């Protein structure tokens, strides 16, 4: 098999049509069909089935598409790294950001990298911690922010920040940073909660258990922006990390207070693959990301955050 066949395979899978794939690849339709059939003959299995909705990968085809996409991505990364640019760091770097940190970090990181290292093709992916860890394990990310993670057999985890969870309510509730809210008091209101199975939900459920509270869950969602929208619309209060609501509190859109009795903290780490070569471009972006985080904490833009040392304890301790 060759690169052209892999491109044909991935493109047909993505668009569901040989005709459309041929247009995107600037080929005639019979050429794309021939490339797919050659792959099927080599592998000895059908890779697609024709349906009314178009070309759909078989189980074997889905496996090949996944592997082919990764192989093509690695080739693209290699070309970017070896492209001759004297004195410049080049390459493709894909970074995972926790959804709660994007407002604070995304634009600052892009600006820093673009200004100092224009040869780096920076790509940002946002999601919850569990999804980001899966993508990192599968090789879809070069580095990622995760939380409450120790070193694993496949990943190195560098502690960065420890931050407190906050109770979040409409502005009319008048919650204040200097007046922590006991969990039992928060649970007296309907709560907009992260969906079950989410790592943040696990922290909240554990706090509820320690407080002996049985919160009334008004609605569950896997989106932090939706949590905030529902609070604004009056569907209840919620619990979020401080970094996710700093701008809303500063603008007066929402009110918030640290969660207490018990107070709940999460630790954010920078995770990277444990094995394999780390390209210079990845090292550069990792340093810039850590620099942006330390700056945000030092300037007070990250609510109730403490910088962590390599042992995972607060630097102020």
């Amino acid at each position: 098999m060759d690169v052209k066949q892999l491109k044909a395979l991935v493109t047909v899978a993505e668009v569901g049509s040989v005709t459309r794939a041929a247009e995107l690849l600037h080929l005639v339709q019979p050429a794309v069909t021939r490339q797919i059939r050659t792959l099927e003959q080599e592998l000895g299995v059908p890779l697609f089935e024709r349906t009314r909705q178009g070309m759909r990968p078989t189980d074997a085809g889905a496996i090949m598409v996944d592997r082919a996409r990764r192989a093509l991505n690695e080739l693209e990364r290699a070309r970017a790294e070896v492209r001759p640019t004297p004195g410049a760091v080049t390459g493709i770097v894909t970074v995972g950001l926790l959804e709660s940190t994007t407002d604070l970090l995304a634009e600052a990181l892009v600006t820093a990298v673009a200004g100092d290292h224009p040869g780096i093709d920076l790509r940002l992916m946002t999601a919850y911690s569990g999804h980001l860890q899966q993508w990192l394990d599968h090789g879809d990310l070069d580095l990622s922010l995760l939380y409450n993670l120790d070193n694993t057999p496949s990943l190195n985890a560098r502690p960065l920040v420890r931050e407190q969870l906050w109770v979040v309510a409409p502005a009319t509730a008048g919650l204040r940073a200097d007046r922590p809210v006991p969990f039992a008091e928060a649970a007296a209101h309907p709560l907009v909660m992260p969906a079950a199975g989410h790592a943040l939900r696990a922290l909240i459920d554990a706090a509820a258990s320690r407080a002996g509270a049985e919160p009334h869950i008004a609605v569950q969602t896997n989106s932090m922006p939706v949590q905030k929208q529902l609070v604004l619309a009056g569907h209840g209060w919620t619990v979020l990390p401080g970094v996710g609501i700093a701008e809303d509190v500063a603008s007066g859109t929402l009110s918030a207070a640290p969660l207490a009795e018990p107070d709940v903290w999460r630790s954010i780490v920078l995770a990277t693959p444990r094995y394999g070569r780390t390209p210079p471009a990845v090292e550069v972006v990792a340093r810039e990301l850590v620099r942006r985080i330390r700056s945000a904490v030092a300037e007070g833009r990250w609510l109730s955050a403490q910088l962590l040392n390599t042992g995972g304890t607060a630097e102020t301790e």
Side-chain angles (χ1 to χ4, degrees):
M1 61 185 70
D2 59 31
V3 172
K4 291 181 180 179
Q5 292 170 339
L6 297 182
K7 286 183 177 179
L9 173 70
V10 171
T11 306
V12 171
E14 289 177 344
V15 302
S17 164
V18 172
T19 302
R20 179 59 180 150
E23 294 173 355
L24 294 173
L25 294 169
H26 305 291
L27 297 171
V28 296
Q29 181 176 333
V32 175
T33 300
R34 184 167 58 252
Q35 289 168 343
I36 298 298
R37 286 179 178 171
T38 300
L39 268 179
E40 291 178 327
Q41 291 169 0
E42 179 178 344
L43 295 168
V45 293
L47 299 176
F48 289 95
E49 58 181 349
R50 287 176 171 81
T51 70
R52 291 181 178 179
Q53 289 73 39
M55 298 282 283
R56 184 174 66 185
T58 61
D59 290 343
I63 293 172
M64 281 300 300
V65 168
D66 181 60
R67 299 296 183 180
R69 184 179 288 114
R70 293 183 187 179
L72 293 171
N73 285 340
E74 285 302 310
L75 288 173
E76 186 181 5
R77 290 173 183 272
R79 290 192 186 99
E81 286 182 43
V82 303
R83 190 174 293 126
T85 308
V89 178
T90 61
I92 299 169
V93 182
T94 306
V95 180
L97 294 179
L98 294 163
E99 187 180 38
S100 58
T101 67
T102 53
D103 287 347
L104 188 63
L105 299 176
E107 188 276 331
L109 179 62
V110 169
T111 298
V113 172
D116 296 337
H117 305 282
I120 294 178
D121 181 353
L122 183 63
R123 303 175 182 184
L124 302 182
M125 304 287 285
T126 64
Y128 288 125
S129 188
H131 292 136
L132 292 173
Q133 185 174 348
Q134 289 179 355
W135 296 344
L136 193 58
D137 281 332
H138 293 163
D140 298 321
L141 298 175
D142 295 300
L143 66 157
S144 182
L145 296 181
L146 302 174
Y147 66 84
N148 291 3
L149 179 77
D150 296 321
N151 288 327
T152 72
S154 61
L155 300 176
N156 285 317
R158 173 185 174 182
L160 295 177
V161 172
R162 178 175 180 257
E163 67 168 340
Q164 193 170 8
L165 297 190
W166 288 54
V167 179
V168 183
T172 53
L175 301 186
R176 289 173 39 176
D178 59 348
R179 294 180 182 175
V181 173
F183 193 98
E185 180 181 335
H189 299 265
L191 291 181
V192 178
M193 295 279 272
H198 185 279
L200 185 61
R201 174 65 180 273
L203 290 176
I204 299 170
D205 287 345
S209 177
R210 295 201 301 275
E214 295 186 6
H216 166 57
I217 300 173
V219 64
Q220 302 180 55
T221 175
N222 65 349
S223 167
M224 187 187 71
V226 172
Q227 280 180 260
K228 294 192 288 187
Q229 289 172 4
L230 293 175
V231 171
L232 280 171
H235 291 280
W237 291 15
T238 193
V239 177
L240 286 170
V243 68
I245 45 95
E247 291 189 4
D248 303 280
V249 172
S251 66
T253 305
L254 295 170
S255 64
L259 183 63
E261 299 177 26
D263 55 350
V264 183
W265 296 76
R266 71 172 185 174
S267 297
I268 293 179
V269 304
L270 178 61
T272 54
R274 183 179 290 276
Y275 303 109
R277 168 181 170 272
T278 302
V282 174
E283 294 178 350
V284 165
V285 173
R287 287 197 298 270
E288 288 292 351
L289 179 56
V290 171
R291 190 175 292 122
R292 297 307 110 202
I293 289 172
R294 296 184 71 87
S295 174
V297 174
E299 295 170 6
R301 293 182 287 116
W302 194 316
L303 293 181
S304 65
Q306 300 174 349
L307 292 172
L308 297 177
N309 56 34
T310 54
T313 58
E315 292 187 355
T316 55
E317 293 179 359

